[in-house]
Amino acid sequence: MDPPAAKRSRDCPAGPEERDAGAGAVRGRGRPEALLDLSAKRVAESWAFEQVEERFSRVPEPVQKRIVFWSFPRSEREICMYSSLGYQPPEGEHDARVPFTRGLHLLQSGAVDRVLQVGFHLSGNIREPGGPGEPERLYHVSISFDRCKITSVSCGCDNRDLFYCAHVVALSLYRIRHARQVELRLPISETLSQMNRDQLQKFVQYLISAHHTEVLPTAQRLADEILLLGSEINLVHGAPDPTAGAGIEDANCWHLDEEQIQEQVKQLLSNGGYYGASQQLRSMFCKVREMLRMRDSNGARMLILMTEQFLQDPRLALWRQQGAGMTDKCRQLWDELGALWVCIVLSPHCKPEERTSWLQLLSKWDKLDVCPLEEGNYSFDGPSLQPTVALSPGPEEEEEEEEVEAAGSRHTVFGRALQAGSLHWSDAHLQRILASDSYGPSLTSNGSGDKPTFDPQGRPLWLGEPFPTACARVDTLRAHGYPRQALRLAGAIVNTLRLQRRHQLETYKQQKKELLQKGSTCITNMEGWVGHPLDPIGCLCRALLEACHLEEETLAIYPDSGPERRKVAYQHVPVPGSPGESYLAMALEVALLGLGQQRALPEGLYAQDKVVRNEEQLLALLEEVELDERLVQVLRKQAGQLLEGGPFSGFGEVLFRESVPMHTCARYLFTALLPHDPDLAYRLALRAMRLPILETAFPAGEPHGNPLDSIVSNRFPRWFILGHLETRQCELASAMLTAAKGLQALMNIMQNWYSLFTPVEAATIVAVTGTTHATLLRLQLDAPRREELWACARTLALQCAMKDPQNCALPALTLCEKNHAAFEAAYQIVLDAAAGGLGHAHLFTVARYMEHRGLPLRAYKLATLALAQLSIAFNQDSHPAVNDVLWACSLSHSLGRHELSAIVPLIIRSIHCAPMLSDILRRWTLSAPGLGPLGARRAAKPLGADRAPLCQLLDAAVAAYITTSHSRLTHISPRHYGDFIEFLGKARETFLLAPDGHLQFAQFLENLKQTYKGKKKLMLLVRERFG
């Protein structure tokens, strides 16, 4: 495959020397480059200098110099890649912290001097200004290189980081931009070979003299070994030369500090709970992809180092031991790791031995106990892309057996990469697809088997392997720097999807009547494409959108700059061989095809959360695309096909019970279509309002319990994200109601609420949103039409209250406040529901609402109904209903003696907690009762605790203290003696409210002393406190 065309970046401007050195331009206008330079360039790129010396007995010095000259890297792109990790520094500090930018600034400020190239070794000094009040710092930098790659670096700053420091960058850029100003010498061994004995001795002595403190011990050791005739050094031919370049057998790759990468990953994983750590690791994954795109072998090497550290994360063993799942952030990182390994193994240009070594490593990692498993019930051998699809699912029993088998096999995050090891690129049809934009049936026969290779329009198809696998090929081609080939294969896959959908629709039309009568269907796509581990829809969309970018390509200094990224602009790029079609329209079609697919929700919390996250990522991509008339036509066509798609579409008329709801996708389509085709927008959105998992009918005779209870069964997984899905459903409903411009459309939604919403959604969202001031203003209704809309909303609210009084009674009362008849009807619904089991908490809530509305007698009635259902035991002094009970008592006291007398028996029957009864009694004795129901004047003085109706409550409180005391003493421990003494003190205060309270309390204490005389220490405390 041809390498991708290079593009110059404005972030890294090249000087004239780079154009001369890197691009091989002429020195003077119109003058061609010398043949010696052209030849030396090719040799310098691919041959080790040792190979040149072995091939030719004598290499002239000018030729050696040109080879050495052209052996240094010629492009700044690689220097940038190895000096910028892609982290996101704080706002406003981009230029200050990125080593490449700092190195560029040092170069432009003249900080580089004394640059010398000796053979394949470059050295120089970098003078960096110090901080305020600090002296200038001098750093000595050394760089070794071979075959246009930097193979090792050394800098006096001792900066330990993943990649090159700013000083190495400055020296490298100086060599690229000012190559002809650098003093060039042949390898030092060539210079030494030209010296006689005296010159050599003088050279060695001067060298030792100049650096005697550093090299003298080494020089003496080497001299001793050379003088020893049988030493190892004398048995070796020649001597090492660090400036002579690499040997033939030496690996030819860019310098990568393996130890530092391992240490960095280990440290980031240990800080895995922090957002910045996850971002840094994602940046390292981005760097791997950048290396792959540059065909740099360090991409795989770096990923191996990262994977080994990931597997050594101590949290893996801990999570496995505890049976707990890993955190979402960690799981996402493992997903990215697994997807990257698929790209590595599926490389279209790697050597067989490289792939074999990768697969051996993956197989070893796959067998480790701590290796994370892939979540979700996704198969590894899913259905292949086929031109026709049958709509005849097998019996449910067979499906269950298949699910059990799938669940029994162990699939780790490396499983798909191992599976990719069996794939190849040698298929002749695939090669022709990748090679040409004009590949058609006229150039070759239309397949030799039962698998067609072209659609009826003569466009190529790619059949025979699962759709996610085919999309993984597209992602791999993009990752390895083959964008044109990736685009061609993406086009063939889209052609196949279209043909498959056409046959699906034809099949559905033949069986539509039968399916509609049945009312439900078996799922046709157990394995969804959105949320799939290989992200097939996302891979395909990104490949197609990448071809439509308008922005200029830049160096990846900030590949993950997050929300600060500029909005991407797209343009229509025509698809070769398909007149009138563009890659932009194709990307929109693919995204909607995936988002609208009817598919089963996967098993597991993380897998379900990933479906939601993947949906949002795809829709974020689509929202970046500005819709023009051409794209609107695509939207209309796709929306129509989704509505007619039957069991293959999530918007079809028949739905599988466990299929993923379409609320998020429908909201995007509704918003996008509304200005252009309101009828289609509302039809689509109303169809998507369904949530089948909550609409399952209960078997006859069974009680209607909590709807969530029906979801959990042995056969179906729990819907962990149900709350999120219901929120999305509410947002879609709100969007429709807010956008409704016609009264009839809004009233239709309200009148048919039961087929679109739950009672809670209808009462709290539909009715409220449909009658807000903003909605009424937008609709510009006159008074009669406005009242008609209000009446419809009130009817809806009352219907919801009857169906679900527990959650809808209060919203219904609120909505019906301005209409007496409707309000009375809502109030009666609450009273009827109280007899049918409406809980005391809801009754108290409605009662407080009634008091707030200025209806205290109705509040009192509801409070008594709530008290009748309440029971607070002797030890529940912190019961959740305590405040409600005290409020009800305060309300009855404010109404008058009659209401207070009526509520006392309820209090005595419902409340058995002594401190609480005592508190109520004291509150009622502080002031006189309020105005009675007959309008009597306020009583002259407060009620006495020893008179009716409070004497009954006093007796109940005293009895409760006696009962509670005996109960506490049965199992009391010494550490609770102090609390019990305090409790007796409160009891005495209550006893003393009675005329003979002192005597009653004394008898009570005497009874305790006799009954519990064995608890000597406690009884001693009682005597000390009470006598």
Side-chain angles (χ1 to χ4, degrees):
M1 297 181 185
D2 296 331
K7 297 179 183 177
R8 186 167 311 286
S9 163
R10 55 189 173 86
D11 279 4
C12 191
E17 290 79 14
E18 183 193 4
R19 290 193 291 271
D20 185 12
V26 297
R27 293 181 186 172
R29 189 180 299 273
R31 182 179 174 185
E33 194 169 12
L35 182 60
L36 173 59
D37 281 321
L38 291 172
S39 304
K41 273 186 182 180
R42 296 305 301 270
V43 170
E45 289 172 0
S46 52
W47 282 26
F49 195 67
E50 183 184 12
Q51 189 175 0
V52 176
E53 292 177 316
E54 287 187 358
R55 179 74 179 271
F56 304 99
S57 58
R58 180 179 176 275
V59 181
E61 183 175 321
V63 175
Q64 289 188 47
K65 281 193 172 183
R66 298 319 293 164
I67 293 175
V68 168
F69 176 84
W70 291 112
S71 291
F72 195 83
R74 304 165 206 165
S75 169
E76 296 180 5
R77 176 171 291 277
E78 284 86 357
I79 307 300
C80 177
M81 182 172 72
Y82 277 94
S83 57
S84 54
L85 175 59
Y87 61 80
Q88 185 183 0
E91 187 176 355
E93 294 188 18
H94 283 153
D95 292 338
R97 293 185 54 182
V98 178
F100 181 83
T101 310
R102 288 178 53 215
L104 188 60
H105 177 72
L106 288 171
L107 172 68
Q108 293 170 344
S109 62
V112 184
D113 65 356
R114 301 192 65 180
V115 182
L116 172 66
Q117 179 178 341
V118 180
F120 296 86
H121 184 272
L122 183 72
S123 62
N125 290 340
I126 312 296
R127 299 184 180 277
E128 187 172 24
E134 296 180 359
E136 180 182 69
R137 295 186 292 267
L138 177 66
Y139 299 108
H140 181 72
V141 181
S142 298
I143 299 175
S144 296
F145 54 91
D146 175 58
R147 283 167 276 184
C148 300
K149 295 181 179 69
I150 291 177
T151 55
S152 69
V153 298
S154 173
C155 179
C157 70
D158 291 329
N159 181 34
R160 296 287 292 171
D161 201 353
L162 288 179
F163 298 119
Y164 307 158
C165 66
H167 314 110
V168 171
V169 171
L171 181 60
S172 302
L173 294 181
Y174 184 94
R175 172 60 177 78
I176 292 173
R177 297 189 178 189
H178 309 286
R180 302 194 182 279
Q181 298 177 19
V182 175
E183 189 176 0
L184 177 64
R185 294 285 186 271
L186 289 177
I188 193 68
S189 54
E190 293 291 326
T191 305
L192 294 177
S193 66
Q194 299 173 14
M195 297 182 184
N196 58 32
R197 183 186 179 284
D198 292 339
Q199 290 172 322
L200 281 172
Q201 184 170 355
K202 183 176 291 187
F203 170 78
V204 172
Q205 289 183 213
Y206 267 96
L207 180 64
I208 293 173
S209 176
H211 303 283
H212 65 277
T213 56
E214 294 91 358
V215 305
L216 187 57
T218 304
Q220 187 59 56
R221 178 178 57 80
L222 291 175
D224 292 342
E225 290 186 18
I226 290 174
L227 292 175
L228 187 63
L229 294 179
S231 64
E232 183 179 352
I233 198 171
N234 286 318
L235 299 177
V236 177
H237 178 69
D241 181 359
T243 66
I248 299 174
E249 302 298 328
D250 293 342
N252 180 225
C253 58
W254 285 78
H255 168 69
L256 195 67
D257 191 335
E258 296 188 358
E259 181 182 345
Q260 189 60 26
I261 287 177
Q262 292 173 320
E263 187 61 34
Q264 182 91 354
V265 174
K266 182 178 179 180
Q267 182 180 351
L268 291 172
L269 286 173
S270 66
N271 297 330
Y274 299 98
Y275 176 76
S278 298
Q279 286 296 94
Q280 283 276 16
L281 289 167
R282 285 195 177 91
S283 296
M284 295 179 74
F285 287 141
C286 289
K287 187 58 65 176
V288 171
R289 284 189 177 271
E290 188 180 354
M291 290 175 175
L292 296 180
R293 198 160 50 246
M294 300 293 291
R295 319 282 173 83
D296 190 333
S297 61
N298 277 339
R301 185 175 159 207
M302 181 172 172
L303 193 62
I304 290 172
L305 297 171
M306 293 183 69
T307 306
E308 289 173 343
Q309 290 305 308
F310 265 72
L311 287 167
Q312 292 174 21
D313 187 349
R315 294 178 298 172
L316 292 178
L318 184 62
W319 285 327
R320 184 172 182 273
Q321 182 181 358
Q322 296 176 344
M326 63 176 66
T327 62
D328 279 358
K329 287 180 182 177
C330 193
R331 169 62 69 177
Q332 290 172 31
L333 292 170
W334 274 101
D335 282 352
E336 291 186 48
L337 188 68
L340 262 176
W341 270 114
V342 173
C343 288
I344 295 282
V345 173
L346 201 51
S347 168
H349 59 244
C350 71
K351 298 175 183 177
E353 56 270 20
E354 286 180 320
R355 178 177 290 192
T356 301
S357 66
W358 296 331
L359 290 174
Q360 288 174 349
L361 277 174
L362 287 167
S363 181
K364 182 183 76 173
W365 295 333
D366 183 76
K367 292 181 176 66
L368 295 175
D369 291 337
V370 295
C371 185
L373 302 180
E374 180 182 281
E375 281 204 26
N377 49 333
Y378 295 101
S379 68
F380 272 56
D381 297 301
S384 299
L385 286 171
Q386 298 294 342
T388 59
V389 176
L391 186 57
S392 54
E396 292 183 355
E397 291 78 14
E398 293 180 10
E399 291 179 2
E400 287 184 12
E401 291 175 4
E402 290 173 3
E403 289 175 12
V404 170
E405 288 177 5
S409 53
R410 181 178 184 268
H411 296 314
T412 71
V413 291
F414 299 122
R416 297 190 182 274
L418 285 167
Q419 187 186 41
S422 61
L423 302 176
H424 57 81
W425 298 87
S426 58
D427 183 88
H429 178 57
L430 177 60
Q431 287 290 324
R432 294 190 184 102
I433 290 174
L434 300 179
S436 172
D437 288 324
S438 57
Y439 176 43
S442 59
L443 301 180
T444 182
S445 61
N446 190 14
S448 57
D450 58 349
K451 191 169 67 174
T453 51
F454 300 95
D455 66 5
Q457 289 75 36
R459 295 173 299 197
L461 304 172
W462 179 239
L463 298 163
E465 66 184 12
F467 173 70
T469 304
C471 294
R473 289 185 183 272
V474 174
D475 189 39
T476 299
L477 289 168
R478 285 182 64 232
H480 287 275
Y482 299 100
R484 293 301 308 170
Q485 291 83 347
L487 210 53
R488 290 165 185 157
L489 181 56
I493 294 172
V494 174
N495 296 336
T496 310
L497 288 178
R498 288 171 175 167
L499 184 63
Q500 182 170 290
R501 174 188 263 195
R502 194 154 53 242
H503 287 297
Q504 286 174 346
L505 290 174
E506 292 171 1
T507 306
Y508 170 58
K509 287 175 182 177
Q510 296 171 4
Q511 303 183 22
K512 182 175 182 179
K513 185 176 180 181
E514 177 188 345
L515 286 170
L516 290 179
Q517 287 176 347
K518 189 178 177 183
S520 62
T521 180
C522 293
I523 197 74
T524 57
N525 298 299
M526 288 303 296
E527 179 170 298
W529 296 337
V530 175
H532 191 280
L534 293 177
D535 188 20
I537 296 295
C539 290
L540 216 52
C541 281
R542 285 188 287 270
L544 295 167
L545 288 174
E546 189 178 56
C548 308
H549 279 191
L550 265 177
E551 66 175 2
E552 184 180 357
E553 182 181 346
T554 60
L555 295 181
I557 298 181
Y558 314 109
D560 56 348
S561 54
E564 295 182 4
R565 262 188 334 177
R566 291 182 303 164
K567 186 175 180 180
V568 180
Y570 296 101
Q571 62 181 345
H572 285 283
V573 176
V575 179
S578 301
E581 189 164 18
S582 77
Y583 287 119
L584 191 57
M586 194 180 280
L588 179 60
E589 179 182 350
V590 166
L592 295 179
L593 192 65
L595 289 166
Q597 178 197 33
Q598 185 176 157
R599 58 198 184 272
L601 191 73
E603 298 175 5
L605 171 59
Y606 177 76
Q608 293 177 16
D609 184 64
K610 190 175 179 181
V611 169
V612 173
R613 190 168 59 252
N614 203 187
E615 275 186 350
E616 292 171 350
Q617 289 168 349
L618 285 170
L619 290 173
L621 273 179
L622 295 186
E623 285 167 358
E624 288 183 343
V625 179
E626 293 186 8
L627 297 177
D628 55 18
E629 186 58 34
R630 197 169 174 183
L631 294 179
V632 170
Q633 291 305 319
V634 174
L635 274 180
R636 281 178 167 160
K637 181 181 178 182
Q638 294 304 312
Q641 290 184 347
L642 287 171
L643 287 171
E644 298 169 4
F648 300 99
S649 166
F651 294 87
E653 293 180 77
V654 286
L655 273 185
F656 177 61
R657 178 194 174 196
E658 296 259 329
S659 60
V660 176
M662 295 287 110
H663 308 134
T664 310
C665 175
R667 188 180 178 192
Y668 166 79
L669 287 170
F670 175 78
T671 307
L673 284 169
L674 191 62
H676 311 284
D677 194 338
D679 291 340
L680 179 59
Y682 272 100
R683 268 203 308 140
L684 194 82
L686 288 172
R687 179 76 65 81
M689 279 301 301
R690 302 169 294 184
L691 190 52
I693 194 68
L694 296 183
E695 298 168 7
T696 307
F698 290 90
E702 290 191 9
H704 293 208
N706 185 340
L708 291 180
D709 296 340
S710 65
I711 301 170
V712 186
S713 65
N714 293 330
R715 174 163 184 162
F716 296 110
R718 180 184 291 272
W719 282 45
F720 296 100
I721 58 169
L722 186 60
H724 175 85
L725 296 177
E726 289 180 308
T727 302
R728 291 295 189 222
Q729 186 186 37
C730 293
E731 290 174 354
L732 174 59
S734 180
M736 284 193 289
L737 292 168
T738 305
K741 294 183 178 178
L743 176 64
Q744 194 57 45
L746 190 53
M747 291 182 65
N748 282 339
I749 292 173
M750 289 187 179
Q751 290 165 357
N752 297 294
W753 69 267
Y754 46 83
S755 63
L756 303 172
F757 308 96
T758 64
V760 180
E761 294 163 359
T764 58
I765 298 177
V766 179
V768 174
T769 307
T771 53
T772 58
H773 183 65
T775 302
L776 298 176
L777 280 179
R778 188 174 65 253
L779 294 175
Q780 298 180 345
L781 302 178
D782 55 18
R785 303 297 292 271
R786 186 173 293 192
E787 179 53 35
E788 184 182 0
L789 181 60
W790 268 107
C792 187
R794 288 192 292 266
T795 302
L796 178 153
L798 291 174
Q799 290 172 346
C800 293
M802 292 182 67
K803 198 170 184 67
D804 185 5
Q806 185 170 333
N807 296 308
C808 300
L810 188 57
L813 284 165
T814 306
L815 199 68
C816 297
E817 283 178 353
K818 296 180 182 179
N819 185 280
H820 177 71
F823 189 80
E824 289 297 316
Y827 176 62
Q828 189 58 46
I829 289 172
V830 176
L831 294 179
D832 295 342
L838 187 62
H840 61 80
H842 291 90
L843 286 170
F844 275 128
T845 302
V846 178
R848 285 176 181 265
Y849 162 79
M850 287 294 183
E851 186 198 29
H852 180 71
R853 288 272 297 126
L855 300 169
L857 290 178
R858 293 192 176 187
Y860 173 79
K861 172 68 174 175
L862 292 170
T864 58
L865 292 173
L867 283 170
Q869 297 185 14
L870 185 63
S871 178
I872 299 181
F874 73 91
N875 58 349
Q876 290 184 302
D877 47 355
S878 59
H879 192 281
V882 167
N883 288 331
D884 287 327
V885 172
L886 295 176
W887 168 81
C889 293
S890 175
L891 174 67
S892 63
H893 185 267
S894 68
L895 289 174
R897 186 184 183 106
H898 178 77
E899 285 75 12
L900 189 121
S901 299
I903 205 173
V904 166
L906 286 174
I907 294 292
I908 294 172
R909 186 163 58 247
S910 301
I911 314 299
H912 307 287
C913 178
M916 198 171 168
L917 289 170
S918 177
D919 189 17
I920 294 171
L921 184 63
R922 290 182 188 285
R923 288 168 184 258
W924 280 348
T925 57
L926 291 176
S927 61
L931 193 66
L934 299 180
R937 298 182 64 181
R938 179 179 287 274
K941 59 180 181 179
L943 295 174
D946 56 336
R947 295 188 178 186
L950 299 190
C951 60
Q952 299 173 352
L953 186 61
L954 176 59
D955 292 342
V958 168
Y961 269 115
I962 293 172
T963 304
T964 304
S965 297
H966 285 292
S967 178
R968 293 181 66 170
L969 285 171
T970 304
H971 302 290
I972 195 169
S973 63
R975 62 193 177 97
H976 293 134
Y977 285 175
D979 294 338
F980 183 73
I981 297 299
E982 293 299 320
F983 178 77
L984 286 182
K986 294 178 181 178
R988 182 173 62 176
E989 294 174 3
T990 304
F991 273 79
L992 293 179
L993 293 174
D996 58 344
H998 183 75
L999 181 59
Q1000 287 186 45
F1001 187 69
Q1003 291 174 348
F1004 169 55
L1005 286 182
E1006 190 59 33
N1007 179 265
L1008 288 182
K1009 293 172 184 176
Q1010 292 298 322
T1011 306
Y1012 302 100
K1013 57 186 178 182
K1015 301 182 184 295
K1016 296 180 181 179
K1017 184 176 180 181
L1018 176 60
M1019 292 303 109
L1020 179 63
L1021 293 174
V1022 170
R1023 291 190 186 93
E1024 287 177 356
R1025 176 75 178 269
F1026 305 106

